[in-house]
Amino acid sequence: MRCICCFFLLTIIALAGLAAFLAAQIKVPQVDFNGIANHPSGLAHFSKTDVHAFDINLGLNIGVVNPNMASVKFEKITATAFYPTSPARPVGGGELSDLVINAHATTNFTFPFQIHYDHSKDEEQRMLLDITQKCGFTGGAKKDLVINYILTPTIRIIGFPLSVAIKNSVSLPCPPLTLSGFNNISI
């Protein structure tokens, strides 16, 4: 009986040591934002969805350098976007499925992203005014748009989905929009 207990104890210690060794080998991948591209589904940069609403459709070019000896498959990556003028109300986002980040490699992909403006949810027009000012439509210099987001990647570990919410913000250059698109929005 004593031998069996010692064997199990040594096995547990060996597995814990192996897990600690493997965990020490994991390095944080480098994630780079490489600019704006066309939406991966071919959607127009600007589309009027209603008399009082429009969408800004983008592709975000992302590069991931994975120095680890293991690849990672994301079942789904979901982003929910919030505009700083109304930080509690979602204004868009995007979703990407079945993304594989290869081991010891650089993986580049385009993340589909959409910002939706609806006048009925922006009664003081703060979001619209901020976008037109930062994109230079009011005569000022162009500035980056700041978008707050919650990124939720989902991976499967031993068949169980595991998701973690990551809150952050990103500064994006104004997409190639024309003032004529904004002139057709009824406020």
Side-chain angles (χ1 to χ4, degrees):
M1 185 64 146
R2 185 180 300 170
C3 290
I4 294 173
C5 289
C6 287
F7 174 75
F8 282 123
L9 181 62
L10 290 174
T11 302
I12 291 172
I13 291 172
L15 289 175
L18 179 62
F21 173 76
L22 291 175
Q25 300 302 313
I26 295 174
K27 298 176 185 130
V28 176
Q30 176 184 336
V31 179
D32 295 318
F33 173 66
N34 297 323
I36 293 178
N38 292 329
H39 193 280
S41 299
L43 299 174
H45 284 290
F46 181 87
S47 61
K48 188 174 171 183
T49 57
D50 190 334
V51 175
H52 303 287
F54 61 86
D55 289 337
I56 299 173
N57 303 299
L58 309 169
L60 306 178
N61 286 332
I62 309 290
V64 179
V65 179
N66 184 7
N68 296 305
M69 60 183 167
S71 63
V72 177
K73 180 180 181 192
F74 291 96
E75 185 175 283
K76 179 172 58 170
I77 300 175
T78 304
T80 305
F82 302 88
Y83 205 75
T85 58
S86 182
R89 185 179 57 81
V91 294
E95 184 174 305
L96 186 64
S97 298
D98 300 322
L99 175 67
V100 176
I101 305 295
N102 295 315
H104 297 292
T106 300
T107 303
N108 295 304
F109 61 95
T110 303
F111 189 85
F113 197 75
Q114 181 181 69
I115 298 171
H116 178 74
Y117 176 81
D118 186 346
H119 170 69
S120 66
K121 296 179 181 170
D122 185 29
E123 294 170 1
E124 296 176 14
Q125 301 172 14
R126 294 185 327 186
M127 182 178 169
L128 182 62
L129 180 62
D130 193 60
I131 291 172
T132 56
Q133 285 176 342
K134 288 187 176 175
C135 290
F137 295 136
T138 58
K142 282 188 172 185
K143 298 179 183 175
D144 287 351
L145 298 173
V146 175
I147 305 293
N148 301 323
Y149 63 88
I150 298 175
L151 188 69
T152 310
T154 303
I155 61 172
R156 287 201 174 265
I157 297 178
I158 314 173
F160 296 101
L162 176 66
S163 298
V164 176
I166 303 165
K167 294 182 181 182
N168 207 342
S169 63
V170 65
S171 294
L172 302 173
C174 280
L177 304 174
T178 61
L179 187 57
S180 63
F182 284 101
N183 287 338
N184 295 329
I185 301 296
S186 175
I187 308 176

